[in-house]
Amino acid sequence: MNFSDLELAEPVLRAVTMEKYTTPSPIQAQTIPQLLAGKDVLGCAQTGTGKTAAFALPIIHRLYEQGVPRGRRAPRALVLTPTRELAAQVGASFNSLGRYTGLKTAIIFGGVGQGPQAAALRSGVDVVVTTPGRLIDLMNQRLVDLRQINTLVLDEADHMLDMGFIHDVKRIIAKIPGERHTMLFSATMPKEIASLAAAVLKDPVNIAVAAVSSAVETVAQTVYHVEKAKKGPLLVDLLQNGGIKTGLVFSRTKHGADKICRMLNAAGIQSGAIHGNKSQSARKQALDSFKRGKLRVLVATDIAARGIDIQALPHVVNYDLPDVPETYVHRIGRTGRAVTSA
Ligand code: AMP
C-alpha cells in the first residue's frame, strides 16, 4: 500500500512526501481509512509505530476538506496528551503534515508563560494540542473556546491515567460537543482505559498493532547482572569500551538522574539530565544538545522522557528497572523507531 492509495487531499500527500514517508506503517494503513470514513477508533499502539501520523493525517485531511477559515476562528480539533514533550512533538507533526493546508495548530502546556499560547488562541487556530492541566487553566479564564470542537484525540491515554489526569480529561470532555469524531490511543489497555473508551467512543473500530505490553520487535535487549554498587562503573565501562556511543539512560528518581549525570560527566562522558525539577527551558536545552550530538548521554526519569522522539536513538539503558511492565515497554520504545511497512 502507498500513501497515494489512501485518498488524502493533495496538500496532505505533498507534506507526506516532504517527510519522506513512503509506505504507511501498519497502524497508519489500518487507521487512516477508518478515520477518513468518520469512524471512531480505539487504537492500541505503542510509541514508534507511527501512531501520531495515523491520526494527524486524517484529521488534517478532514479539516482541510471542511474548509480553512481565515483570521479569528475557534479550534475544531483537540488533542490531549499527558506530557509537555509529547504535546510539543504531536503539535510539531500537525504543523509539518499540515504545512500546505493553511491549517493552524496551537501547542499548549504548562511550565511556560501562558501569554503566547493565549495570543495564538485569540488569533485563531484549527487544532489545539495540549496537556490537560494548562487547558483547564485557560478554560477557567475563558481564554479558549471549545464550542466548535468536532474532533477529539486522547493520546497515550494510559499515561494520562498513570499521571492522575483522568479527572481533568473527563472535565474537558464534558465541555466539548457530544456530536464529534473521537479517537483514543493507548499503548496498554488497563480496565480504566477500556471503560473510558466505552464512555467516550461511539461504536469504535478496534485497531491493535502490537500485542498489549509486548516489547517492540526491532529492539535487541541485553541484561547485566551486577550488584548495585557496580552499576555506575558498568555504565561508564559500557560507554567507554562497550560500544555504546550514545543513549538515553532511565533513572527511577530525579535525584538518581542527577547523580548518574554527575558520575558520567566526572568520567568525561558528556551528559545531561531531564526531569520534573528542571525548568522547561533546561529540559529543552538538554534535549537539543543531545539531539545535536553535544551530549552523549541523556539521563531521564520516565515522566520527563515521555514523548521524546529522537531519530535513530541507538541505546536505551534501564539503570533502574521499572516496577511496571508497561513502563519498560515505553522506555525501550524510545529506540528501534524504524517504522516497519505494512
Ligand atoms: P510515532 O509512533 O508517531 O511517535 O512515530 C515514530 C516515528 O516514525 C516518527 O519519527 C515519525 O516521523 C516516523 N514515521 C511515522 N510514519 C512514518 C512512515 N509511514 N514512514 C516512515 N517514518 C514514519
Side-chain angles (χ1 to χ4, degrees):
M1 182 192 264
N2 283 318
F3 276 102
S4 50
D5 301 325
L6 288 171
E7 297 186 23
L8 291 163
E10 187 279 328
V12 187
L13 275 179
R14 207 166 358 126
V16 167
T17 310
M18 280 299 287
E19 288 297 302
K20 302 205 169 50
Y21 297 172
T22 46
T23 327
S25 69
I27 182 109
Q28 292 163 358
Q30 292 179 62
T31 306
I32 293 173
Q34 300 290 351
L35 291 178
L36 287 175
K39 296 291 292 178
D40 281 5
V41 162
L42 174 59
C44 193
Q46 44 194 308
T47 189
T49 53
K51 71 178 164 60
T52 312
F55 63 78
L57 288 170
I59 291 175
I60 293 167
H61 169 93
R62 284 170 61 104
L63 293 177
Y64 176 75
E65 297 279 294
Q66 287 165 18
V68 184
R70 283 161 191 250
R72 284 188 173 202
R73 67 251 199 199
R76 288 172 287 160
L78 179 67
V79 183
L80 296 178
T81 75
T83 62
R84 302 162 184 183
E85 284 78 8
L86 187 62
Q89 186 185 313
V90 170
S93 294
F94 270 92
N95 277 326
S96 55
L97 295 171
R99 73 181 91 168
Y100 301 118
T101 58
L103 292 165
K104 279 189 166 177
T105 298
I107 304 171
I108 288 176
F109 48 74
V112 294
Q114 70 169 39
Q117 300 174 357
L121 289 168
R122 237 185 348 264
S123 70
V125 296
D126 304 285
V127 180
V128 171
V129 182
T130 180
T131 52
R134 175 56 66 89
L135 182 68
I136 287 189
D137 282 352
L138 297 174
M139 284 161 65
N140 289 341
Q141 300 170 69
R142 300 187 180 281
L143 292 173
V144 56
D145 177 359
L146 300 180
R147 287 172 300 179
Q148 305 300 321
I149 297 293
N150 60 23
T151 306
L152 171 69
V153 183
L154 304 179
D155 195 15
E156 302 209 349
D158 48 352
H159 282 153
M160 296 215 253
L161 177 74
D162 293 347
M163 296 176 72
F165 291 151
I166 282 297
H167 184 65
D168 285 351
V169 168
K170 288 182 179 162
R171 272 181 65 194
I172 294 166
I173 295 175
K175 294 276 187 236
I176 63 176
E179 194 59 46
R180 60 164 191 261
H181 188 200
T182 311
M183 50 220 81
L184 184 152
F185 290 86
S186 197
T188 59
M189 214 43 81
K191 57 179 184 313
E192 292 92 334
I193 295 302
S195 57
L196 176 71
V200 301
L201 300 169
K202 287 198 191 94
D203 189 21
V205 179
N206 286 295
I207 294 171
V209 292
V212 176
S213 302
S214 75
V216 278
E217 285 168 11
T218 48
V219 181
Q221 300 167 59
T222 310
V223 62
Y224 296 93
H225 294 274
V226 283
E227 284 164 25
K228 198 169 172 206
K230 300 223 172 98
K231 287 207 289 188
L234 173 64
L235 179 59
V236 169
D237 186 60
L238 287 170
L239 282 155
Q240 284 174 339
N241 312 307
I244 300 188
K245 291 202 169 55
T246 169
L248 180 60
V249 173
F250 280 97
S251 156
R252 194 168 48 81
T253 63
K254 300 168 196 170
H255 178 66
D258 286 332
K259 232 172 111 182
I260 296 168
C261 194
R262 280 197 301 274
M263 172 192 74
L264 294 177
N265 281 313
I269 299 160
Q270 296 299 320
S271 309
I274 55 169
H275 54 65
N277 284 356
K278 302 256 179 196
S279 68
Q280 187 62 23
S281 64
R283 292 197 216 181
K284 188 172 178 302
Q285 198 183 6
L287 184 58
D288 288 347
S289 304
F290 182 67
K291 282 186 173 172
R292 284 204 310 274
K294 282 190 159 177
L295 295 177
R296 278 180 67 192
V297 175
L298 194 62
V299 188
T301 54
D302 289 302
I303 290 178
R306 269 177 206 149
I308 291 182
D309 180 21
I310 303 163
Q311 298 286 348
L313 178 65
H315 286 95
V316 166
V317 177
N318 286 280
Y319 194 88
D320 300 310
L321 262 190
D323 302 324
V324 189
E326 285 80 12
T327 304
Y328 180 81
V329 173
H330 271 277
R331 286 183 179 184
I332 71 168
R334 304 292 152 198
T335 185
R337 279 196 156 221
V339 171
T340 46
S341 56

